Amino acid sequence: QVQLVESGGGLVQPGGSLILSCAASGSIFDINAMGWYRQAPGKERELVGSITSGDSTKYAGSVKGRFTISRDTAKNTLYLQMNSLKPEDTAVYYCNAEIRPRGRYGSDDVWGQGTQVTVSS
């Protein structure tokens, strides 16, 4: 059983920073693309940023220049450094990854349980 577990969410004031982490565990052969999504109340889930196995990144326009996505391949961990946070960044943040389990061909699309980020004074 492969799973993703996010951590690092919380309450932060506008202009502040947070780092989210997402650790993959289980019987993993390989991890391809990974990404962060978020969903605010009453809104659809949206892509925040993604990173390929070759470390190519892309970001939503609303976070470009403020957020940085990175990964530690040895630790099977994804990070999201969030700076200059705004109230509109408030949402539940989800980790997503394409994971190939050991002993199987093909990858699974795996989601974490989400972590709440609230930006408020």
Side-chain angles (χ1 to χ4, degrees), residues 13-96:
Q13 292 187 343
S17 298
L18 276 177
I19 301 176
L20 304 184
S21 299
C22 170
S25 63
S27 185
I28 298 171
F29 178 79
D30 193 23
I31 301 178
N32 295 317
M34 304 183 79
W36 288 99
Y37 290 74
R38 66 186 182 186
Q39 187 167 20
K43 295 187 177 181
E44 293 187 353
R45 189 173 298 188
E46 63 174 358
L47 175 68
V48 175
S50 63
I51 184 167
T52 68
S53 57
D55 288 340
S56 294
T57 58
K58 65 177 182 179
Y59 298 92
S62 59
V63 307
K64 195 172 293 184
R66 300 187 297 122
F67 290 11
T68 302
I69 191 169
S70 61
R71 65 192 288 175
D72 185 330
T73 302
K75 295 182 179 180
N76 286 336
T77 301
L78 178 71
Y79 302 97
L80 184 67
Q81 171 73 54
M82 303 186 292
N83 298 326
S84 303
L85 282 161
K86 304 175 181 180
E88 51 263 43
D89 295 318
T90 296
V92 177
Y93 284 70
Y94 297 91
C95 175
N96 172 258

Side-chain angles (χ1 to χ4, degrees), residues 2-4 22-34 76 95-102 104-111:
V2 174
Q3 64 176 352
L4 298 173
C22 170
S25 63
S27 185
I28 298 171
F29 178 79
D30 193 23
I31 301 178
N32 295 317
M34 304 183 79
N76 286 336
C95 175
N96 172 258
E98 297 173 11
I99 300 177
R100 180 180 171 185
R102 290 188 183 277
R104 283 178 46 196
Y105 290 104
S107 298
D108 294 332
D109 188 34
V110 183
W111 290 88

